[in-house]
């Protein structure tokens, strides 16, 4: 006899507390009253947690949603670990509630006795990282959900180095949040007009774009002037900063996609403002064809990620994050000797970039997923040692002046890479094909499968357990794995984390991890073949095998 699914009603107590909040608007009160029991459970069954990039979730009412109460609670937790008298910078992107949430965080920190520097404009992630370092702050916050849909927002936390806080500190913040006797009653000042809060903007923004321009690697002004670029900021905060950095570096043919240039957190016409996805380039592609542009680039709302594409033979080609990383690694490692230099990447990032730079004398360090782990390695380096840091998810760090993914500097370096190849009579696509000819053909892709809510979290746990027990048989088209790394057990002195990586005799690998910030489980493929056909056939066969495996789970 089939057991009935029993709903855990502990969420009801939390829901009822929220219904009694005195400062709810009439609209908010109506939304709470109209919630079904299932909606109540999803919104109140837990405290929205911290993941690999801070606290992120859907905006709405409830302890498992992003709203002024959970933002205040997170800011209060951060105040507890930093202490009164410390200095914190706060930035926010163009999402609908980002500015309001930033101000709520500022009011909490100021009331707790911390000095707050808050931006007077929409500001990208790399600017916040730079500001924390430049103004000697003790921490930083960015209100953003990066490339997620308009329904999401979040709370990223930074340490004094300008890097995102590591797991130990974010877990400590979360413990403080859970300890708060009444999480809905967080002390905060009434307004922003008080001595602990200072607005910042123009001066630090100017220094930031100048620091990006100082990282230029191409000393060829005519090559830069000759490159035609189409840029879309996808309604996000990167717009003015990317344009300014490119202008300072000498790029004069930059065409802004005006239909996607205004600041708009509704992201009209976009399913998701994610530069990893070719569909966000639809308007840019039309304009690139009309302008006969050499390059298309796009940054996401907080401008920590960047996508790129080219038009070749009247067709658009968009690069994966791994391909962009390999092209940057190739370009940077051609600008003088790289012996003694270090590139930092992650355990789920493709191998091509690493093979290129090691063949030229550089060293590669692999970290866990997340720019904070990349930046921890940077903190141990001298400026002359660092070559490049990147993740497969379109995040690149090209300079020591910041400690997070930087779509602004990456835009400049991608343009320089394209300009340099153009002087050699090549497009970026031609350059990539040359690399495949030399190092082998790679297909580096990622598949994500969504598992929403509490039920979804349990399903993802089952999937990881099944993969551990089957020891690679799910990926049978690649053969039997000759090595399996389970990062939950500890690998290479890295922090323990729920990641599995399967290595195969032909040089391919597959890695699997549940996302730390989204309700997804991710499969990362690095498929190597002697040519494109062989690599493609292997990739498609493995994809089919994974999809068949996942059909037994409820997603």
């Amino acid at each position: 006899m089939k057991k009935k699914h029993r709903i855990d009603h502990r969420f009801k107590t939390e829901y009822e507390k929220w219904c009694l909040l005195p400062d709810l608007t009439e609209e908010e009160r109506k939304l709470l009253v109209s919630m079904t029991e299932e909606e109540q459970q999803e919104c109140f069954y837990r405290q929205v947690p911290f993941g690999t990039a801070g606290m992120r979730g859907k905006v709405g009412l409830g302890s498992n949603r992003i709203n002024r109460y959970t933002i205040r609670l997170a800011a209060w937790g951060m105040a507890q670990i930093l202490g009164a008298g410390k200095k914190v910078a706060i930035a926010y992107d163009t999402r609908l509630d980002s500015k309001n949430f930033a101000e709520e965080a500022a009011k909490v920190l100021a009331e707790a006795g911390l000095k707050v520097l808050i931006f007077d404009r929409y500001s990208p992630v790399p600017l916040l990282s730079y500001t924390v370092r430049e103004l000697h702050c003790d921490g930083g916050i960015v209100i953003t959900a990066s490339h997620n849909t308009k329904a999401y927002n979040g709370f990223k936390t930074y340490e004094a180095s300008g890097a995102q806080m590591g797991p130990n500190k974010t877990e400590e913040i979360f413990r403080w949040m859970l300890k708060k006797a009444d999480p809905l009653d967080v002390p905060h000042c009434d307004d922003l007009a008080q001595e602990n809060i200072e607005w910042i903007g123009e001066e630090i923004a100017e220094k930031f774009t100048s620091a990006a321009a100082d990282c230029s690697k191409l000393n060829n002004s005519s090559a830069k002037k000759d490159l035609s670029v189409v840029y879309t900021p996808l309604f996000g905060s990167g717009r003015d900063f990317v344009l300014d950095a490119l202008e300072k570096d000498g790029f004069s043919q930059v065409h802004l996609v005006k239909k996607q240039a205004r600041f708009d957190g509704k992201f009209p016409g976009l399913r998701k403002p994610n530069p990893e996805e070719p569909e966000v380039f639809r308007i840019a592609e039309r304009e690139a064809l009309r302008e006969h542009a050499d390059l298309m680039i796009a940054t996401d709302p907080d401008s920590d990620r960047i996508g790129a594409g080219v038009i070749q033979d009247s067709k658009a080609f968009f690069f994966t994050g791994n391909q962009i990383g390999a092209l940057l690694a190739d370009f940077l490692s051609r600008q003088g000797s790289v012996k003694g230099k270090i590139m930092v990447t992650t355990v789920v990032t493709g191998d091509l970039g690493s093979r290129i730079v090691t063949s030229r004398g550089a060293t590669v360090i692999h970290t866990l997923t997340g720019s904070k782990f990349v930046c921890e390695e940077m903190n141990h380096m001298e400026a002359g040692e660092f070559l490049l840091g990147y993740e497969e998810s379109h995040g690149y760090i090209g300079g020591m002046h910041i400690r997070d993914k930087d779509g602004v500097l990456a835009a400049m370096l991608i343009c320089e890479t394209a300009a340099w190849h153009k002087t050699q009579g090549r497009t970026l696509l031609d350059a990539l094909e040359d690399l495949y000819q030399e190092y082998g053909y790679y297909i580096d892709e990622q598949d994500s499968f969504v598992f929403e809510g509490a039920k979804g979290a349990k399903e993802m746990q089952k999937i990881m357990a099944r993969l551990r027990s089957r020891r690679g048989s799910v990926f049978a088209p690649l053969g039997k794995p000759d090595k399996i790394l389970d990062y939950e057990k500890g690998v290479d002195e890295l922090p323990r984390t729920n990641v599995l990586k399967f290595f195969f005799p032909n040089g391919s690998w597959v890695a699997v991890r549940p996302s730390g910030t989204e309700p997804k489980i991710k499969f990362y493929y690095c498929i190597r073949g002697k040519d494109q056909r062989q690599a493609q056939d292997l990739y498609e066969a493995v994809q089919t095998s994974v999809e068949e495996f996942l059909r037994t789970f409820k997603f």
Side-chain angles (χ1 to χ4, degrees), residues 382-411:
E382 299 295 330
E385 291 181 292
F386 180 65
L387 178 63
L388 175 69
Y390 77 96
E391 298 183 278
E392 98 308 325
S393 55
H394 290 248
Y396 311 93
I397 307 168
M400 291 288 282
H401 59 292
I402 68 159
R403 292 293 187 277
D404 204 350
K405 298 188 292 288
D406 185 355
V408 177
L409 177 54

PDB file of all heavy atoms in Angstrom, residues 382-411:
ATOM      1  N   GLU A 382      52.361  37.363  -5.702  1.00  0.00           N
ATOM      2  CA  GLU A 382      52.819  38.701  -6.044  1.00  0.00           C
ATOM      3  C   GLU A 382      52.205  39.089  -7.389  1.00  0.00           C
ATOM      4  O   GLU A 382      51.834  38.227  -8.183  1.00  0.00           O
ATOM      5  CB  GLU A 382      54.353  38.732  -6.141  1.00  0.00           C
ATOM      6  CG  GLU A 382      55.064  38.362  -4.861  1.00  0.00           C
ATOM      7  CD  GLU A 382      54.828  39.361  -3.737  1.00  0.00           C
ATOM      8  OE1 GLU A 382      54.629  40.555  -4.054  1.00  0.00           O
ATOM      9  OE2 GLU A 382      54.828  38.944  -2.563  1.00  0.00           O
ATOM     10  N   ALA A 383      52.113  40.393  -7.655  1.00  0.00           N
ATOM     11  CA  ALA A 383      51.462  40.872  -8.880  1.00  0.00           C
ATOM     12  C   ALA A 383      52.089  40.264 -10.133  1.00  0.00           C
ATOM     13  O   ALA A 383      51.396  39.915 -11.084  1.00  0.00           O
ATOM     14  CB  ALA A 383      51.533  42.399  -8.942  1.00  0.00           C
ATOM     15  N   GLY A 384      53.403  40.103 -10.141  1.00  0.00           N
ATOM     16  CA  GLY A 384      54.073  39.594 -11.331  1.00  0.00           C
ATOM     17  C   GLY A 384      53.855  38.118 -11.585  1.00  0.00           C
ATOM     18  O   GLY A 384      54.147  37.620 -12.675  1.00  0.00           O
ATOM     19  N   GLU A 385      53.362  37.401 -10.588  1.00  0.00           N
ATOM     20  CA  GLU A 385      53.161  35.959 -10.746  1.00  0.00           C
ATOM     21  C   GLU A 385      51.841  35.627 -11.433  1.00  0.00           C
ATOM     22  O   GLU A 385      51.724  34.612 -12.115  1.00  0.00           O
ATOM     23  CB  GLU A 385      53.160  35.275  -9.374  1.00  0.00           C
ATOM     24  CG  GLU A 385      54.474  35.238  -8.661  1.00  0.00           C
ATOM     25  CD  GLU A 385      54.340  34.509  -7.340  1.00  0.00           C
ATOM     26  OE1 GLU A 385      53.665  35.033  -6.432  1.00  0.00           O
ATOM     27  OE2 GLU A 385      54.901  33.405  -7.229  1.00  0.00           O
ATOM     28  N   PHE A 386      50.829  36.457 -11.251  1.00  0.00           N
ATOM     29  CA  PHE A 386      49.482  36.128 -11.685  1.00  0.00           C
ATOM     30  C   PHE A 386      49.318  36.300 -13.190  1.00  0.00           C
ATOM     31  O   PHE A 386      49.642  37.337 -13.757  1.00  0.00           O
ATOM     32  CB  PHE A 386      48.476  37.015 -10.944  1.00  0.00           C
ATOM     33  CG  PHE A 386      47.047  36.767 -11.319  1.00  0.00           C
ATOM     34  CD1 PHE A 386      46.446  35.553 -11.042  1.00  0.00           C
ATOM     35  CD2 PHE A 386      46.296  37.759 -11.943  1.00  0.00           C
ATOM     36  CE1 PHE A 386      45.117  35.326 -11.382  1.00  0.00           C
ATOM     37  CE2 PHE A 386      44.972  37.540 -12.290  1.00  0.00           C
ATOM     38  CZ  PHE A 386      44.385  36.324 -12.008  1.00  0.00           C
ATOM     39  N   LEU A 387      48.791  35.268 -13.838  1.00  0.00           N
ATOM     40  CA  LEU A 387      48.531  35.316 -15.271  1.00  0.00           C
ATOM     41  C   LEU A 387      47.052  35.526 -15.566  1.00  0.00           C
ATOM     42  O   LEU A 387      46.672  36.453 -16.281  1.00  0.00           O
ATOM     43  CB  LEU A 387      49.012  34.020 -15.926  1.00  0.00           C
ATOM     44  CG  LEU A 387      48.765  33.889 -17.442  1.00  0.00           C
ATOM     45  CD1 LEU A 387      49.537  34.963 -18.211  1.00  0.00           C
ATOM     46  CD2 LEU A 387      49.155  32.484 -17.921  1.00  0.00           C
ATOM     47  N   LEU A 388      46.201  34.685 -15.001  1.00  0.00           N
ATOM     48  CA  LEU A 388      44.772  34.727 -15.296  1.00  0.00           C
ATOM     49  C   LEU A 388      44.049  33.816 -14.317  1.00  0.00           C
ATOM     50  O   LEU A 388      44.597  32.810 -13.870  1.00  0.00           O
ATOM     51  CB  LEU A 388      44.518  34.236 -16.730  1.00  0.00           C
ATOM     52  CG  LEU A 388      43.069  34.093 -17.207  1.00  0.00           C
ATOM     53  CD1 LEU A 388      42.401  35.459 -17.345  1.00  0.00           C
ATOM     54  CD2 LEU A 388      43.008  33.349 -18.545  1.00  0.00           C
ATOM     55  N   GLY A 389      42.824  34.183 -13.984  1.00  0.00           N
ATOM     56  CA  GLY A 389      41.951  33.289 -13.229  1.00  0.00           C
ATOM     57  C   GLY A 389      40.633  33.187 -13.967  1.00  0.00           C
ATOM     58  O   GLY A 389      40.129  34.191 -14.465  1.00  0.00           O
ATOM     59  N   TYR A 390      40.077  31.980 -14.070  1.00  0.00           N
ATOM     60  CA  TYR A 390      38.763  31.896 -14.719  1.00  0.00           C
ATOM     61  C   TYR A 390      38.019  30.618 -14.354  1.00  0.00           C
ATOM     62  O   TYR A 390      38.586  29.626 -13.921  1.00  0.00           O
ATOM     63  CB  TYR A 390      38.883  32.041 -16.233  1.00  0.00           C
ATOM     64  CG  TYR A 390      39.369  30.853 -17.030  1.00  0.00           C
ATOM     65  CD1 TYR A 390      38.469  29.974 -17.638  1.00  0.00           C
ATOM     66  CD2 TYR A 390      40.732  30.635 -17.241  1.00  0.00           C
ATOM     67  CE1 TYR A 390      38.909  28.912 -18.414  1.00  0.00           C
ATOM     68  CE2 TYR A 390      41.182  29.580 -18.025  1.00  0.00           C
ATOM     69  CZ  TYR A 390      40.260  28.720 -18.605  1.00  0.00           C
ATOM     70  OH  TYR A 390      40.703  27.672 -19.372  1.00  0.00           O
ATOM     71  N   GLU A 391      36.684  30.733 -14.520  1.00  0.00           N
ATOM     72  CA  GLU A 391      35.771  29.619 -14.343  1.00  0.00           C
ATOM     73  C   GLU A 391      35.045  29.348 -15.650  1.00  0.00           C
ATOM     74  O   GLU A 391      34.906  30.241 -16.488  1.00  0.00           O
ATOM     75  CB  GLU A 391      34.727  29.937 -13.275  1.00  0.00           C
ATOM     76  CG  GLU A 391      35.277  30.181 -11.891  1.00  0.00           C
ATOM     77  CD  GLU A 391      34.153  30.405 -10.900  1.00  0.00           C
ATOM     78  OE1 GLU A 391      33.645  31.533 -10.818  1.00  0.00           O
ATOM     79  OE2 GLU A 391      33.777  29.428 -10.222  1.00  0.00           O
ATOM     80  N   GLU A 392      34.532  28.147 -15.773  1.00  0.00           N
ATOM     81  CA  GLU A 392      33.807  27.786 -16.995  1.00  0.00           C
ATOM     82  C   GLU A 392      32.524  28.587 -17.154  1.00  0.00           C
ATOM     83  O   GLU A 392      31.985  28.732 -18.242  1.00  0.00           O
ATOM     84  CB  GLU A 392      33.558  26.283 -16.978  1.00  0.00           C
ATOM     85  CG  GLU A 392      32.224  25.772 -16.513  1.00  0.00           C
ATOM     86  CD  GLU A 392      31.737  26.272 -15.173  1.00  0.00           C
ATOM     87  OE1 GLU A 392      32.524  26.482 -14.245  1.00  0.00           O
ATOM     88  OE2 GLU A 392      30.520  26.461 -15.074  1.00  0.00           O
ATOM     89  N   SER A 393      32.021  29.166 -16.066  1.00  0.00           N
ATOM     90  CA  SER A 393      30.739  29.872 -16.071  1.00  0.00           C
ATOM     91  C   SER A 393      30.905  31.331 -16.480  1.00  0.00           C
ATOM     92  O   SER A 393      30.240  32.215 -15.934  1.00  0.00           O
ATOM     93  CB  SER A 393      30.076  29.772 -14.702  1.00  0.00           C
ATOM     94  OG  SER A 393      30.949  30.238 -13.691  1.00  0.00           O
ATOM     95  N   HIS A 394      31.818  31.580 -17.435  1.00  0.00           N
ATOM     96  CA  HIS A 394      31.994  32.912 -18.033  1.00  0.00           C
ATOM     97  C   HIS A 394      32.485  33.962 -17.035  1.00  0.00           C
ATOM     98  O   HIS A 394      32.155  35.134 -17.152  1.00  0.00           O
ATOM     99  CB  HIS A 394      30.692  33.382 -18.682  1.00  0.00           C
ATOM    100  CG  HIS A 394      30.335  32.623 -19.926  1.00  0.00           C
ATOM    101  ND1 HIS A 394      30.341  33.189 -21.182  1.00  0.00           N
ATOM    102  CD2 HIS A 394      29.966  31.324 -20.118  1.00  0.00           C
ATOM    103  CE1 HIS A 394      29.977  32.280 -22.082  1.00  0.00           C
ATOM    104  NE2 HIS A 394      29.751  31.133 -21.456  1.00  0.00           N
ATOM    105  N   GLY A 395      33.281  33.539 -16.059  1.00  0.00           N
ATOM    106  CA  GLY A 395      33.852  34.473 -15.087  1.00  0.00           C
ATOM    107  C   GLY A 395      35.363  34.514 -15.212  1.00  0.00           C
ATOM    108  O   GLY A 395      36.033  33.467 -15.173  1.00  0.00           O
ATOM    109  N   TYR A 396      35.932  35.743 -15.330  1.00  0.00           N
ATOM    110  CA  TYR A 396      37.373  35.916 -15.598  1.00  0.00           C
ATOM    111  C   TYR A 396      37.943  37.004 -14.709  1.00  0.00           C
ATOM    112  O   TYR A 396      37.311  38.037 -14.472  1.00  0.00           O
ATOM    113  CB  TYR A 396      37.594  36.277 -17.085  1.00  0.00           C
ATOM    114  CG  TYR A 396      36.846  35.339 -17.991  1.00  0.00           C
ATOM    115  CD1 TYR A 396      35.558  35.662 -18.433  1.00  0.00           C
ATOM    116  CD2 TYR A 396      37.380  34.106 -18.344  1.00  0.00           C
ATOM    117  CE1 TYR A 396      34.838  34.781 -19.223  1.00  0.00           C
ATOM    118  CE2 TYR A 396      36.662  33.219 -19.130  1.00  0.00           C
ATOM    119  CZ  TYR A 396      35.387  33.556 -19.566  1.00  0.00           C
ATOM    120  OH  TYR A 396      34.662  32.674 -20.326  1.00  0.00           O
ATOM    121  N   ILE A 397      39.154  36.766 -14.234  1.00  0.00           N
ATOM    122  CA  ILE A 397      39.880  37.744 -13.425  1.00  0.00           C
ATOM    123  C   ILE A 397      41.218  37.979 -14.111  1.00  0.00           C
ATOM    124  O   ILE A 397      42.020  37.054 -14.250  1.00  0.00           O
ATOM    125  CB  ILE A 397      40.105  37.235 -11.988  1.00  0.00           C
ATOM    126  CG1 ILE A 397      38.769  36.795 -11.363  1.00  0.00           C
ATOM    127  CG2 ILE A 397      40.758  38.314 -11.135  1.00  0.00           C
ATOM    128  CD1 ILE A 397      38.924  36.014 -10.080  1.00  0.00           C
ATOM    129  N   GLY A 398      41.440  39.205 -14.542  1.00  0.00           N
ATOM    130  CA  GLY A 398      42.639  39.486 -15.324  1.00  0.00           C
ATOM    131  C   GLY A 398      43.630  40.408 -14.661  1.00  0.00           C
ATOM    132  O   GLY A 398      44.681  40.702 -15.239  1.00  0.00           O
ATOM    133  N   GLY A 399      43.324  40.873 -13.433  1.00  0.00           N
ATOM    134  CA  GLY A 399      44.221  41.805 -12.765  1.00  0.00           C
ATOM    135  C   GLY A 399      44.199  41.632 -11.260  1.00  0.00           C
ATOM    136  O   GLY A 399      43.207  41.157 -10.689  1.00  0.00           O
ATOM    137  N   MET A 400      45.268  42.036 -10.608  1.00  0.00           N
ATOM    138  CA  MET A 400      45.392  41.870  -9.157  1.00  0.00           C
ATOM    139  C   MET A 400      44.706  42.987  -8.367  1.00  0.00           C
ATOM    140  O   MET A 400      44.730  42.979  -7.146  1.00  0.00           O
ATOM    141  CB  MET A 400      46.876  41.818  -8.779  1.00  0.00           C
ATOM    142  CG  MET A 400      47.588  40.569  -9.253  1.00  0.00           C
ATOM    143  SD  MET A 400      47.103  39.081  -8.328  1.00  0.00           S
ATOM    144  CE  MET A 400      48.061  39.299  -6.822  1.00  0.00           C
ATOM    145  N   HIS A 401      44.070  43.940  -9.042  1.00  0.00           N
ATOM    146  CA  HIS A 401      43.439  45.056  -8.337  1.00  0.00           C
ATOM    147  C   HIS A 401      42.080  44.691  -7.757  1.00  0.00           C
ATOM    148  O   HIS A 401      41.506  45.475  -6.990  1.00  0.00           O
ATOM    149  CB  HIS A 401      43.292  46.263  -9.269  1.00  0.00           C
ATOM    150  CG  HIS A 401      42.480  45.998 -10.494  1.00  0.00           C
ATOM    151  ND1 HIS A 401      42.906  45.154 -11.491  1.00  0.00           N
ATOM    152  CD2 HIS A 401      41.270  46.468 -10.886  1.00  0.00           C
ATOM    153  CE1 HIS A 401      41.982  45.112 -12.456  1.00  0.00           C
ATOM    154  NE2 HIS A 401      40.987  45.893 -12.108  1.00  0.00           N
ATOM    155  N   ILE A 402      41.537  43.540  -8.137  1.00  0.00           N
ATOM    156  CA  ILE A 402      40.273  43.084  -7.562  1.00  0.00           C
ATOM    157  C   ILE A 402      40.395  41.623  -7.174  1.00  0.00           C
ATOM    158  O   ILE A 402      41.387  40.960  -7.471  1.00  0.00           O
ATOM    159  CB  ILE A 402      39.091  43.271  -8.536  1.00  0.00           C
ATOM    160  CG1 ILE A 402      39.245  42.328  -9.731  1.00  0.00           C
ATOM    161  CG2 ILE A 402      38.940  44.699  -8.998  1.00  0.00           C
ATOM    162  CD1 ILE A 402      37.942  42.095 -10.427  1.00  0.00           C
ATOM    163  N   ARG A 403      39.328  41.095  -6.552  1.00  0.00           N
ATOM    164  CA  ARG A 403      39.311  39.691  -6.154  1.00  0.00           C
ATOM    165  C   ARG A 403      37.942  39.080  -6.404  1.00  0.00           C
ATOM    166  O   ARG A 403      37.377  38.384  -5.551  1.00  0.00           O
ATOM    167  CB  ARG A 403      39.682  39.551  -4.662  1.00  0.00           C
ATOM    168  CG  ARG A 403      41.107  39.900  -4.298  1.00  0.00           C
ATOM    169  CD  ARG A 403      42.113  38.916  -4.893  1.00  0.00           C
ATOM    170  NE  ARG A 403      43.450  39.170  -4.405  1.00  0.00           N
ATOM    171  CZ  ARG A 403      44.276  40.070  -4.897  1.00  0.00           C
ATOM    172  NH1 ARG A 403      43.885  40.817  -5.932  1.00  0.00           N
ATOM    173  NH2 ARG A 403      45.477  40.254  -4.394  1.00  0.00           N
ATOM    174  N   ASP A 404      37.409  39.304  -7.586  1.00  0.00           N
ATOM    175  CA  ASP A 404      36.184  38.622  -7.989  1.00  0.00           C
ATOM    176  C   ASP A 404      36.095  38.648  -9.507  1.00  0.00           C
ATOM    177  O   ASP A 404      36.872  39.344 -10.169  1.00  0.00           O
ATOM    178  CB  ASP A 404      34.942  39.283  -7.371  1.00  0.00           C
ATOM    179  CG  ASP A 404      33.759  38.316  -7.264  1.00  0.00           C
ATOM    180  OD1 ASP A 404      33.836  37.199  -7.826  1.00  0.00           O
ATOM    181  OD2 ASP A 404      32.746  38.673  -6.623  1.00  0.00           O
ATOM    182  N   LYS A 405      35.168  37.891 -10.037  1.00  0.00           N
ATOM    183  CA  LYS A 405      34.973  37.871 -11.485  1.00  0.00           C
ATOM    184  C   LYS A 405      34.733  39.292 -11.977  1.00  0.00           C
ATOM    185  O   LYS A 405      34.028  40.073 -11.339  1.00  0.00           O
ATOM    186  CB  LYS A 405      33.781  36.982 -11.846  1.00  0.00           C
ATOM    187  CG  LYS A 405      33.956  35.524 -11.445  1.00  0.00           C
ATOM    188  CD  LYS A 405      32.851  34.652 -11.977  1.00  0.00           C
ATOM    189  CE  LYS A 405      31.523  34.923 -11.339  1.00  0.00           C
ATOM    190  NZ  LYS A 405      31.449  34.437  -9.951  1.00  0.00           N
ATOM    191  N   ASP A 406      35.292  39.615 -13.131  1.00  0.00           N
ATOM    192  CA  ASP A 406      35.314  41.005 -13.588  1.00  0.00           C
ATOM    193  C   ASP A 406      34.939  41.086 -15.062  1.00  0.00           C
ATOM    194  O   ASP A 406      35.783  40.937 -15.947  1.00  0.00           O
ATOM    195  CB  ASP A 406      36.718  41.584 -13.355  1.00  0.00           C
ATOM    196  CG  ASP A 406      36.810  43.061 -13.682  1.00  0.00           C
ATOM    197  OD1 ASP A 406      35.825  43.634 -14.179  1.00  0.00           O
ATOM    198  OD2 ASP A 406      37.887  43.640 -13.438  1.00  0.00           O
ATOM    199  N   GLY A 407      33.645  41.360 -15.326  1.00  0.00           N
ATOM    200  CA  GLY A 407      33.198  41.496 -16.702  1.00  0.00           C
ATOM    201  C   GLY A 407      33.718  42.741 -17.378  1.00  0.00           C
ATOM    202  O   GLY A 407      33.771  42.804 -18.612  1.00  0.00           O
ATOM    203  N   VAL A 408      34.114  43.744 -16.586  1.00  0.00           N
ATOM    204  CA  VAL A 408      34.616  44.996 -17.164  1.00  0.00           C
ATOM    205  C   VAL A 408      36.000  44.782 -17.772  1.00  0.00           C
ATOM    206  O   VAL A 408      36.231  45.057 -18.959  1.00  0.00           O
ATOM    207  CB  VAL A 408      34.639  46.109 -16.100  1.00  0.00           C
ATOM    208  CG1 VAL A 408      35.241  47.395 -16.680  1.00  0.00           C
ATOM    209  CG2 VAL A 408      33.229  46.377 -15.576  1.00  0.00           C
ATOM    210  N   LEU A 409      36.941  44.291 -16.969  1.00  0.00           N
ATOM    211  CA  LEU A 409      38.284  44.030 -17.500  1.00  0.00           C
ATOM    212  C   LEU A 409      38.255  42.912 -18.536  1.00  0.00           C
ATOM    213  O   LEU A 409      38.977  42.964 -19.543  1.00  0.00           O
ATOM    214  CB  LEU A 409      39.242  43.680 -16.362  1.00  0.00           C
ATOM    215  CG  LEU A 409      40.671  43.312 -16.776  1.00  0.00           C
ATOM    216  CD1 LEU A 409      41.295  44.382 -17.649  1.00  0.00           C
ATOM    217  CD2 LEU A 409      41.537  43.049 -15.544  1.00  0.00           C
ATOM    218  N   ALA A 410      37.421  41.900 -18.315  1.00  0.00           N
ATOM    219  CA  ALA A 410      37.337  40.813 -19.285  1.00  0.00           C
ATOM    220  C   ALA A 410      36.878  41.330 -20.645  1.00  0.00           C
ATOM    221  O   ALA A 410      37.372  40.874 -21.679  1.00  0.00           O
ATOM    222  CB  ALA A 410      36.384  39.730 -18.780  1.00  0.00           C
ATOM    223  N   ALA A 411      35.944  42.290 -20.647  1.00  0.00           N
ATOM    224  CA  ALA A 411      35.504  42.879 -21.919  1.00  0.00           C
ATOM    225  C   ALA A 411      36.687  43.483 -22.664  1.00  0.00           C
ATOM    226  O   ALA A 411      36.846  43.306 -23.876  1.00  0.00           O
ATOM    227  CB  ALA A 411      34.431  43.939 -21.661  1.00  0.00           C
TER     228      ALA A 411
END
